[in-house]
Amino acid sequence: MTVQRRALFDRLTSVHRPDCALFADGPLPMPVAGPDDLAPLLGSDQAARYADACRPVFEDLRRVVGQLAGLMILAQLTDSSEVAGLGELASCRRRFDEAGERIRQLVAPDALEPHREQLVAAHAFSGLALGTFSELRPRGDNEAAFDTISRHVRRAYAHLSAATAEKAGLAMVDLSHACCSCGR
Amino acid sequence: MSDYSIWVCEYSYVKNYHKSGVLYGAHNQGFVKLPYCYVVIKGRDHVAMVDVGYNDKDYGKVLGDRFGVENWRSPATVLAEIGVKPEEVDTCFITHAHFDHFGNVEDFPNAKFYIQEREIAKWVWAMSLPDRLRWMMVAVDPGDIVRGADLARQKRLVTVNGALSDVLPGIDLHAADDSHTWGSMWVTVRNDGQAQSQDTWVLAGDLVYVFENIHGPGAAVDEKEVYTPVGLAVGSQANLVLATEAMMKQVGYDSHRVIPVHEERLRDTFPSRITREGLRITEICLADGETSKVSA
């Protein structure tokens, strides 16, 4: 382990709880340069092409993560495993599959590969959460499954947050109809 | 006898917000200052909040750059003006899931949060719709729902299905389905603790933005005044008007007891002061034995 990695490990173990999502496998969800940051380096055309291809992926994942979190809340607080059979979960799965297909076709310039990796990781952890919904049992003790879903969703969101790039249209909140949107 | 003190605490603002956003049909009528506020309800045994604001770490730059939102201050700074620490807040009522109301749960580590089940369920539904229907899911951050899931795991999130009485003694929740959002709610404080209260306050969330939502221009229908709903709604303006009527009925049609938290002119109705940070604290009422936080 290099000194740098050792320092990172020490920091993680001292700052984060043992069940922190950062301890799961995969790249760390750390902010990376996005297409808007790298446009001057890559040239605006190349950065714009990547941003264009990214937008539907980001939107898919934004929705998948939000739906998974919302469905988990409903499943837990209504004490219901029926969420696993809801149409919303089926549509979430479809969107997850579409995102996967788009990610497979997503080609990133070398400098933006870390950005693409964050999207890949967000997709992967969303998949882990999605798969765990099928483990919910009627009238059973689902606490462990909820913990697992929650952990994976949190991690997926962290990766997606790391890949936000406001100017490239990769934003977590659509503010066009919000209490701050004053037509600027 | 009053059980609770109530303060409206400004934590940020946008100077030029288009008036048609706060008042339906007010097109080309210019701009108004829109304060961002939350409400503190402090009683002998509880400190509660109505909404918790947004987290500047996540949104501050984009809100500042794109929309001119200014002067965000943390709950620790804002609440210190009324002698409250965020850690002392034990209950938070979330009127709806927009980012500027539900976006800062992490600053209230000891609070239990209440939100309408429908607000979560319909938002999940909206997220499942095709892209051409994307309008129906604006202004909600998936991250807030993720944090809501964390709260649920910590047993600190309660979803409410419709009205709920005495969540805290004398404090009730009321649903306004398909109005400003899918599952908005307002908070009613019966400050004398009586079922048929003579001292009721309604904390309206975004169901009422400004005074004109209650005292709107009525000339077009030969009335002096009519309820005029807020401009922003994913549900219907009709439901906003019906919610306004229900809120007004609760306060015996005494409109100054319906508190719109985005209303800059609360200062004209209630005692208030500007803090060192340039934000307003408005004192709606004081519990027995409580001292004013706005008078010298």
Side-chain angles (χ1 to χ4, degrees):
Chain A
M1 191 180 283
T2 65
V3 171
Q4 192 176 10
R5 284 177 65 84
R6 178 81 232 176
L8 175 64
F9 180 79
D10 288 346
R11 185 164 56 82
L12 289 174
T13 52
S14 60
V15 172
H16 297 276
R17 300 181 318 194
D19 61 342
C20 174
L22 288 173
F23 283 103
D25 293 335
L28 291 174
M30 299 171 78
V32 292
D36 41 3
D37 302 310
L38 294 175
L41 178 69
L42 295 170
S44 55
D45 283 354
Q46 197 177 5
R49 271 197 301 277
Y50 175 75
D52 273 350
C54 264
R55 270 194 288 272
V57 175
F58 189 91
E59 174 63 15
D60 282 341
L61 292 174
R62 189 179 78 87
R63 291 214 217 170
V64 165
V65 167
Q67 278 189 284
L68 289 171
L71 287 166
M72 200 217 83
I73 290 172
L74 296 173
Q76 182 186 331
L77 298 185
T78 62
D79 226 2
S80 168
S81 62
E82 292 166 10
V83 165
L86 285 178
E88 282 82 355
L89 190 63
S91 84
C92 184
R93 191 168 283 118
R94 275 196 300 278
R95 195 173 285 276
F96 170 81
D97 291 340
E98 287 167 11
E101 189 54 40
R102 285 178 167 135
I103 286 173
R104 271 187 286 281
Q105 294 171 16
L106 188 62
V107 178
D110 287 349
L112 284 166
E113 186 55 31
H115 185 270
R116 196 188 72 89
E117 285 174 0
Q118 292 293 333
L119 296 177
V120 170
H123 183 262
F125 280 97
S126 297
L128 291 172
L130 196 50
T132 310
F133 270 93
S134 61
E135 295 175 13
L136 297 178
R137 294 287 171 261
R139 292 176 295 282
D141 179 1
N142 289 311
E143 291 297 302
F146 288 138
D147 275 340
T148 303
I149 293 170
S150 174
R151 195 170 63 249
H152 291 323
V153 168
R154 196 163 61 237
R155 177 73 181 250
Y157 177 75
H159 283 293
L160 196 58
S161 294
T164 54
E166 185 69 29
K167 287 178 187 163
L170 310 179
M172 206 60 87
V173 191
D174 181 351
L175 297 166
S176 59
H177 192 62
C179 307
C180 56
S181 176
C182 44
R184 284 190 172 191
Chain B
M1 187 196 82
S2 293
D3 295 333
Y4 295 101
S5 301
I6 301 175
W7 294 277
V8 176
C9 302
E10 185 180 25
Y11 69 88
S12 187
Y13 52 77
V14 57
K15 280 182 181 162
N16 293 303
Y17 184 73
H18 56 101
K19 192 172 177 182
S20 59
V22 300
L23 191 66
Y24 180 82
H27 307 303
N28 302 313
Q29 292 183 21
F31 298 87
V32 294
K33 180 185 172 187
L34 191 78
Y36 288 80
C37 303
Y38 30 65
V39 177
V40 175
I41 306 170
K42 184 183 173 196
R44 195 179 55 200
D45 300 320
H46 295 281
V47 181
M49 301 270 297
V50 180
D51 296 324
V52 292
Y54 71 82
N55 188 331
D56 194 61
K57 175 170 54 106
D58 290 338
Y59 310 113
K61 188 167 187 331
V62 63
L63 292 181
D65 291 351
R66 276 181 64 189
F67 302 118
V69 177
E70 295 180 35
N71 203 17
W72 182 91
R73 291 291 185 272
S74 72
T77 299
V78 172
L79 298 189
E81 297 287 342
I82 54 170
V84 170
K85 294 177 182 166
E87 298 79 18
E88 295 169 347
V89 175
D90 56 63
T91 309
C92 293
F93 306 117
I94 304 299
T95 61
H96 61 294
H98 280 168
F99 78 99
D100 57 319
H101 295 257
F102 190 31
N104 203 18
V105 300
E106 288 165 323
D107 272 5
F108 299 93
N110 300 316
K112 182 178 277 191
F113 291 76
Y114 290 79
I115 191 168
Q116 287 287 322
E117 181 182 310
R118 184 183 176 84
E119 183 74 349
I120 303 289
K122 289 290 283 188
W123 190 79
V124 170
W125 165 78
M127 294 288 274
S128 75
L129 298 174
D131 289 352
R132 60 185 175 276
L133 300 176
R134 190 178 160 179
W135 178 85
M136 291 201 279
M137 66 191 81
V138 294
V140 175
D141 183 351
D144 293 336
I145 311 299
V146 171
R147 285 181 279 273
D150 282 344
L151 291 175
R153 293 309 302 140
Q154 298 163 30
K155 316 289 187 204
R156 292 203 292 132
L157 184 70
V158 178
T159 50
V160 181
N161 196 359
L164 189 61
S165 297
D166 287 309
V167 180
L168 297 178
I171 298 181
D172 311 325
L173 307 179
H174 297 274
D177 291 349
D178 298 341
S179 56
H180 180 62
T181 61
W182 306 110
S184 285
M185 72 179 182
W186 75 85
V187 179
T188 302
V189 179
R190 290 177 281 107
N191 215 3
D192 53 10
Q194 301 299 309
Q196 301 300 318
S197 175
Q198 301 301 305
D199 186 12
T200 300
W201 297 96
V202 163
L203 306 162
D206 277 4
L207 297 167
V208 177
Y209 266 51
V210 291
F211 294 144
E212 286 90 340
N213 297 133
I214 299 174
H215 298 289
V221 289
D222 290 331
E223 290 289 335
K224 187 179 170 200
E225 293 174 339
V226 294
Y227 300 149
T228 305
V230 302
L232 293 180
V234 296
S236 84
Q237 262 75 21
N239 286 335
L240 277 161
V241 168
L242 291 170
T244 304
E245 171 65 5
M247 289 186 278
M248 285 289 283
K249 190 175 179 183
Q250 287 183 354
V251 297
Y253 296 92
D254 179 358
S255 60
H256 105 284
R257 285 178 171 271
V258 177
I259 307 300
V261 295
H262 283 300
E263 173 56 270
E264 169 72 354
R265 294 164 298 173
L266 279 177
R267 66 186 177 202
D268 300 333
T269 308
F270 298 95
S272 71
R273 68 175 168 87
I274 296 290
T275 67
R276 279 167 300 180
E277 289 78 23
L279 298 166
R280 186 173 295 279
I281 299 288
T282 304
E283 195 162 85
I284 304 300
C285 62
L286 287 175
D288 292 354
E290 183 68 78
T291 56
S292 174
K293 300 298 185 286
V294 300
S295 59

